[in-house]
Amino acid sequence: MKKLHLILLSLTIFWFEGQEILTLAAPQPCQEGNIAPTNLMTKVSNHLTVTDLEKKPLLGQLGQPLGKIITIAGVVRQGELGAKASSRDVLSIEAVNDRPLAQPVTIEFNLFMTAQVAKPVLGRSFKYVGYETGGFTGIPQEAFKFVPAVATTGHRFNTSFQVLKEELDIVKTKSDLTRFNNRRVQVIGRYVSHSSPAPTITSSIDFKGTYTTANIVLEDGIEIPIYPTYLKQSLRSPEEVKAYDGRIVKVVGQISLEQDQKLNPDQIIALTTFDGIWQYQSKL
C-alpha cells in the first residue's frame, strides 16, 4: 500500500462559563504511515454532526451560545431579507450585556408569543432581554432536479433574536414621574375608565353616545390619563375597557408634563404616546 501524506485538523477545547466549546485549530502535519482506506474519511472529516450540536454550545452572531439569555441594546433599522424580498425591520445591535460591540451586528427578530413587548419602531433605540436562536432555511438548489422550482433562498443556517422583555424604567408613584419625564416607560397601576358626553374639542358630528377615557391610577393615588382628554386619541375602545377596567395593568408609552395649561389647567401629566397595554404580571 502507498504511503500517504495526511493533514489532520486538530481540535482545541475552550471553556465558556463552564462549558466546552470545540473550535478548529490550524492544520498540523501527520507523520507518514500506513493508513487503512476505511479510516481515511473519518480521520480527515471536519463536518459537524447533530451529536456535536447536542453536546457543545454553538456560538451565534453575537458571540454568545445560542439559547443563552442575554441583554442587547441598539437601534431598529430596515434590512433586506434577500435580493427579491421586501424590506423589514431588523435589530442593529450595538451592545451585548452592556458591553459595546466592535461594530453593530444586524439580526432579524421575533417577539415571543406571550411577551409583553410593544412592536419595535423603525429608528427607535431599544434594550431587550432574550436569546439568539437559529435553524436552516431555504431549499437546496439540487432539490429542483426532482420538483418544479419555486421562489426561495438558498439552503443555509440563519439566526434570529427572540425578544422576551423590553428593559424600561418603571413608573409606580408620583416621584417616578418627574424623574422620567419625556421618556418611554412602563406605567404600572389600576386601569379606571370614565364616561361623559364628548368634549367639544374632540367631538365629531358622527360621534354617538358617551365618550370614554381612562386613567392609570398609581400606588399613591396619582392618576395618569391615557392621552390628554382634549386629544381624540384619548377615546378608549369598548374592547379595551372591557378587558382592563378595574385591573392592574402595564402600559408602555411616553409620559410628559403638560405644557399648555390653558387647554387643561388641572392636568399636569399624561401618557402622550401609547405603545401597548397588558394585564400586569408581577413575576415578570
Side-chain angles (χ1 to χ4, degrees), residues 3 18 75 83 101 104-105 109 119 129 150 170 172 180 189 223:
K3 293 183 178 180
V75 179
L101 300 178
V105 174
F109 68 91
K119 182 180 178 181
V129 175
V150 296
I170 299 175
K172 287 187 175 182
F180 305 134
E223 298 187 11

Side-chain angles (χ1 to χ4, degrees), residues 61-79:
Q61 296 186 64
L62 302 176
Q64 301 290 323
L66 298 187
K68 178 180 173 63
I69 302 299
I70 58 177
T71 300
I72 61 172
V75 179
V76 181
R77 306 290 188 191
Q78 196 169 73

Side-chain angles (χ1 to χ4, degrees), residues 91-156:
L91 303 181
S92 178
I93 300 172
E94 301 171 354
V96 175
N97 292 335
D98 295 324
R99 294 183 179 180
L101 300 178
Q103 59 184 18
V105 174
T106 300
I107 192 170
E108 298 172 30
F109 68 91
N110 293 290
L111 302 183
F112 194 77
M113 63 181 71
T114 57
Q116 296 183 349
V117 178
K119 182 180 178 181
V121 175
L122 183 64
R124 177 183 287 171
S125 59
F126 64 81
K127 189 173 186 180
Y128 292 138
V129 175
Y131 59 93
E132 187 178 357
T133 187
F136 283 95
T137 60
I139 300 174
Q141 190 64 32
E142 193 174 359
F144 299 128
K145 294 180 180 179
F146 306 94
V147 294
V150 296
T152 183
T153 58
H155 192 246
R156 63 190 179 91

Side-chain angles (χ1 to χ4, degrees), residues 15-30:
W15 289 88
F16 186 93
E17 296 185 359
Q19 293 181 306
E20 293 181 26
I21 297 178
L22 291 181
T23 61
L24 291 174
Q28 301 294 328
C30 180

